[in-house]
Amino acid sequence: MSDKKKKQKKKESEKLSEQEEMERMMLISKADEVVGEQLSIDIDGTIQTEDELKKFALGDIDDPERKYDIYYKGIGKLLKKHLPEGKEYKNARDYIYEEKKTYLTRGHRIDEKGIRGADSRMGYIEDAEKILELITTWIINKGSMVDLYTTLRDLNIHMGYGKPNHE
């Protein structure tokens, strides 16, 4: 092949590469035009765009105030009010608290040294809401301590968190 033909092929190849690169860039730039925005209509009928990426990324973001309210003002307050008081019921309450804490830490059971390795107050909001729902249902149905314990224990077993250490 002559030098002239080689140069011509090289130019054609470069031209093709440039054209392919331009096509890639056009495709990529088109994708950039619509990233994360979509029209939506709010309750008042106003059309607006919303950044779906933010909605997706921040959907389950931690809300410390809400978590505090659910844990202390919801779960803690209801259990304190509806579980029997006194020394004679301490072990029974502790069994219920253990199952609650195991669920809220997604399976971290307390070990023989008394260490859980996780803090149930820092768990996921949706888990705390689930426990709150179970407790309120238990109260509404006027359930016994056995009912609450078995509900929480069975939930932990179902989730794969294992059986309690005391069984």
Side-chain angles (χ1 to χ4, degrees):
M1 201 185 282
S2 71
D3 282 341
K4 192 175 184 180
K5 283 186 179 180
K6 285 182 183 178
K7 284 182 181 180
Q8 188 178 5
K9 273 199 167 195
K10 188 176 180 183
K11 278 186 180 182
E12 287 175 9
S13 176
E14 286 174 358
K15 206 175 207 180
L16 189 59
S17 292
E18 286 177 24
Q19 188 177 5
E20 288 173 343
E21 185 64 22
M22 283 185 59
E23 286 177 14
R24 286 186 197 125
M25 295 303 269
M26 284 176 39
L27 281 172
I28 292 169
S29 67
K30 276 197 184 272
D32 283 339
E33 292 173 9
V34 292
V35 168
E37 295 218 346
Q38 177 177 322
L39 288 178
S40 66
I41 301 175
D42 65 10
I43 295 172
D44 301 324
T46 307
I47 296 175
Q48 60 188 16
T49 63
E50 63 184 358
D51 186 345
E52 289 182 331
L53 184 58
K54 278 186 187 173
K55 189 174 181 180
F56 172 76
L58 302 177
D60 293 328
I61 197 162
D62 213 11
D63 182 348
E65 289 177 18
R66 185 165 165 232
K67 190 182 288 187
Y68 177 90
D69 287 345
I70 293 170
Y71 191 86
Y72 288 106
K73 295 179 181 177
I75 297 168
K77 189 174 185 179
L78 288 174
L79 287 177
K80 190 169 184 159
K81 182 176 181 180
H82 292 278
L83 290 177
E85 297 176 8
K87 254 185 176 175
E88 64 270 19
Y89 300 109
K90 183 185 181 330
N91 286 340
R93 286 192 309 270
D94 287 346
Y95 293 147
I96 289 171
Y97 292 142
E98 171 59 20
E99 294 305 309
K100 171 196 75 159
K101 290 175 183 179
T102 297
Y103 183 77
L104 292 175
T105 59
R106 294 197 171 176
H108 288 86
R109 290 208 176 265
I110 199 159
D111 66 15
E112 59 280 343
K113 295 177 185 175
I115 298 170
R116 181 173 310 282
D119 188 339
S120 61
R121 299 170 297 174
M122 300 294 114
Y124 293 89
I125 289 176
E126 60 267 19
D127 294 346
E129 288 173 337
K130 175 73 173 173
I131 292 292
L132 183 60
E133 176 189 332
L134 292 174
I135 292 169
T136 54
T137 301
W138 169 73
I139 292 168
I140 290 168
N141 293 333
K142 297 180 176 28
S144 68
M145 285 181 71
V146 172
D147 295 332
L148 181 58
Y149 172 76
T150 55
T151 298
L152 295 175
R153 182 202 60 204
D154 293 349
L155 176 63
N156 282 327
I157 291 169
H158 172 75
M159 296 301 291
Y161 303 155
K163 292 185 178 183
N165 297 333
H166 56 268
E167 282 192 355

